[in-house]
Amino acid sequence: MEEVEVKLRLPDAAAHQALSDVLSPYHLRTHLQENVFFDGAAAELSSNAAVLRLRFYGPDDSRCVASIKARAVISGGIGRAEEDEEELDPILARPCVAEPGRLAALAATSRVVRRAVEEVGVGKGGFVCLGGFRNVRAVYGWVEAGLTLEVDETRFGFGTANEVECETAEPERARELLVGLLRENGIPYAYSEASKFAVFRAGKLN
């Protein structure tokens, strides 16, 4: 299925805090996330504009979500990507970070891993771990607009980025409402130009 998101970059921690303050009445939950990415040993996934991600939640790996994303593009603050995701047992998933070769065995029970092997064609060399980053995600239910907003503080090894995202079937409308909220409250922003994964791979903040 296609994932469609509005993605706006916040320039610094002050803008992140200002938006968090404005949205505080709508706060639903905050997630601590660790995102770890994998490719094939022969770059089979990246050569097909795809990536496999394991996302762990909480300090104790209480949850893990595996996803495969492909053909991600961002234009005008709207990101689109083909995405398939599913829950994985974190007890099985966590060892794959240190030993990526274990991922192939999960293809027997994981639809997402199986797609990486069968459809994209990760070969005999198996998987390699590309590393990753941590993210603090605050989720808000903006009731009046009928939108769920995610305000992220993403901690890369080379710096921290701040962003607000909104997954929606009406991206132009959501972008207009979100931009209006930011402008009304004097919060600076810019359209995001790259995904978090692309920033991670580039090794520098966009």
Side-chain angles (χ1 to χ4, degrees):
M1 63 178 289
E2 184 182 47
E3 177 191 52
V4 183
E5 294 179 306
V6 176
K7 300 169 71 71
L8 302 180
R9 182 166 52 87
L10 304 171
D12 50 34
H16 180 283
Q17 186 61 57
L19 180 57
S20 299
D21 290 343
V22 168
L23 293 174
S24 60
Y26 307 107
H27 183 258
L28 299 176
R29 66 192 73 90
T30 297
H31 295 299
L32 303 178
Q33 302 173 338
E34 179 186 357
N35 299 281
V36 185
F37 300 90
F38 299 84
D39 198 351
E44 295 95 333
L45 291 171
S46 57
S47 64
N48 284 280
V51 66
L52 176 66
R53 182 188 68 201
L54 298 183
R55 172 174 284 168
F56 298 92
Y57 287 78
D60 56 354
D61 291 352
S62 59
R63 181 184 175 208
C64 177
V65 176
S67 66
I68 186 166
K69 286 193 175 188
R71 288 172 278 280
V73 295
I74 297 179
S75 177
I78 297 174
R80 301 176 188 273
E82 295 176 18
E83 182 184 48
D84 188 9
E85 65 178 21
E86 65 178 344
E87 299 274 344
L88 279 187
D89 183 344
I91 294 176
L92 298 177
R94 173 54 73 178
C96 296
V97 176
E99 300 179 68
R102 290 173 173 258
L103 264 175
L106 296 184
T109 55
S110 166
R111 179 187 69 254
V112 166
V113 177
R114 186 164 57 251
R115 288 189 64 188
V117 173
E118 296 180 356
E119 295 182 25
V120 184
V122 173
K124 293 182 179 180
F127 291 91
V128 293
C129 181
L130 303 177
F133 50 82
R134 295 182 182 273
N135 189 51
V136 181
R137 168 166 289 175
V139 182
Y140 302 90
W142 188 12
V143 179
E144 292 85 348
L147 300 173
T148 298
L149 305 181
E150 297 170 337
V151 181
D152 291 342
E153 179 187 72
T154 307
R155 300 165 182 171
F156 302 101
F158 46 84
T160 299
N162 299 279
E163 189 175 47
V164 54
E165 298 182 348
C166 176
E167 188 169 348
T168 174
E170 300 178 283
E172 288 79 11
R173 170 184 174 273
R175 181 181 60 189
E176 181 180 357
L177 290 170
L178 184 50
V179 165
L181 177 70
L182 292 165
R183 288 178 174 171
E184 179 183 341
N185 290 278
I187 301 171
Y189 72 94
Y191 291 160
S192 295
E193 299 176 350
S195 67
K196 292 181 179 67
F197 175 68
V199 172
F200 163 68
R201 293 294 279 170
K204 61 181 181 180
L205 301 178
N206 61 335

